[in-house]
Amino acid sequence: GAVVSQHPSWVICKSGTSVKIECRSLDFQATTMFWYRQFPKQSLMLMATSNEGSKATYEQGVEKDKFLINHASLTLSTLTVTSAHPEDSSFYICSARGIGTSGGAGSDTQYFGPGTRLTVL
Amino acid sequence: RKEVEQDPGPFNVPEGATVAFNCTYSNSASQSFFWYRQDCRKEPKLLMSVYSSGNEDGRFTAQLNRASQYISLLIRDSKLSDSATYLCVVNWGNTGKLIFGQGTTLQVKP
């Protein structure tokens, strides 16, 4: 149980275009979803936290107007990278925490999606 | 001081070896701790939570020392399939935010 999917798994786009990444919880209700970014040879960095039906909370240094997050339902959150530039090329990973998950790790367990590799030319 | 600090390695060990990874965290209010495993170009996967009394899952043993703000992971009888990056993760001050260490890379050689 506790499966999280992401779509697309990889995307290549031209500079200046916008890219939307979807994160879905397949078998549980995700009350909270997190968006992370990972540059090569670095660890995951939290970008924002979103609770269903509320505005996302962005981490310091993350531009909310550039990285638009929508969490309109308990199973879907989207991240839109607006006017993407080469420096936005990264591995974007979502995670979800919620109700109806199994496992013994506790209620604060986050389940990760498989990630989306974004390359901006 | 980094929020969560790990020795990046790499640790190169032969099959069957025992290897230990260490991690320190700076927020003393944190209450939940985890070890995740990340394979190359994949998402992190939860390996195990870390409990105050220490806990074991097969060949893996996790320990927590709250006084020293120190977490460890011991892998016994290393397998080739254990080769990966191991991420120390802290639920930051119990806010629900997970802060990741930079990871320790393990290469198990035949």
Side-chain angles (χ1 to χ4, degrees):
Chain A
V3 178
V4 177
S5 70
Q6 268 184 255
H7 178 79
S9 53
W10 59 270
V11 58
I12 301 172
C13 69
K14 291 182 180 178
S15 188
T17 59
S18 294
V19 175
K20 181 187 277 190
I21 302 169
E22 291 185 351
C23 176
R24 292 181 187 273
S25 57
L26 298 185
D27 52 0
F28 67 102
Q29 294 180 318
T31 50
T32 306
M33 284 185 168
F34 303 85
W35 287 95
Y36 295 84
R37 182 166 53 179
Q38 185 176 32
F39 291 108
K41 298 195 185 297
Q42 295 186 26
S43 194
L44 276 74
M45 295 297 293
L46 180 64
M47 298 174 69
T49 302
S50 81
N51 293 301
E52 185 266 337
S54 304
K55 285 185 181 178
T57 303
Y58 290 80
E59 294 300 300
Q60 195 171 14
V62 178
E63 300 172 57
K64 61 180 69 175
D65 294 331
K66 180 168 181 65
F67 299 99
L68 303 178
I69 291 171
N70 184 284
H71 189 172
S73 79
L74 283 171
T75 58
L76 173 65
S77 175
T78 60
L79 167 68
T80 302
V81 184
T82 61
S83 187
H85 290 286
E87 58 266 29
D88 298 323
S89 299
S90 188
F91 190 42
Y92 291 86
I93 309 175
C94 72
S95 71
R97 183 181 71 197
I99 50 179
T101 56
S102 59
S107 61
D108 55 357
T109 301
Q110 291 183 26
Y111 296 90
F112 285 83
T116 296
R117 198 160 296 279
L118 171 63
T119 301
V120 184
L121 302 175
Chain B
R1 182 183 173 183
K2 283 184 184 174
E3 295 165 318
V4 180
E5 197 149 5
Q6 291 182 254
D7 179 349
F11 284 59
N12 294 301
V13 304
E15 267 187 294
T18 295
V19 61
F21 304 139
N22 303 320
C23 170
T24 57
Y25 60 96
S26 61
N27 188 333
S28 60
S30 300
Q31 296 290 320
S32 304
F33 310 91
F34 310 90
W35 283 101
Y36 277 75
R37 169 194 170 129
Q38 186 174 27
D39 292 287
C40 189
R41 302 175 76 85
K42 301 276 191 182
E43 79 278 20
K45 291 191 189 294
L46 179 65
L47 182 64
M48 58 197 304
S49 299
V50 186
Y51 301 118
S52 296
S53 53
N55 49 299
E56 190 174 302
D57 183 1
R59 299 181 292 108
F60 300 85
T61 301
Q63 298 273 359
L64 167 65
N65 183 323
R66 287 188 191 275
S68 304
Q69 294 175 208
Y70 169 93
I71 306 160
S72 66
L73 176 68
L74 183 78
I75 304 176
R76 289 181 299 278
D77 189 23
S78 300
K79 311 285 184 198
L80 295 175
S81 57
D82 293 334
S83 298
T85 296
Y86 290 83
L87 302 168
C88 175
V89 183
V90 175
N91 181 344
W92 199 246
N94 257 22
T95 60
K97 286 189 205 176
L98 295 185
I99 303 296
F100 286 75
Q102 67 188 107
T104 300
T105 300
L106 172 66
Q107 275 287 344
V108 181
K109 309 278 189 188

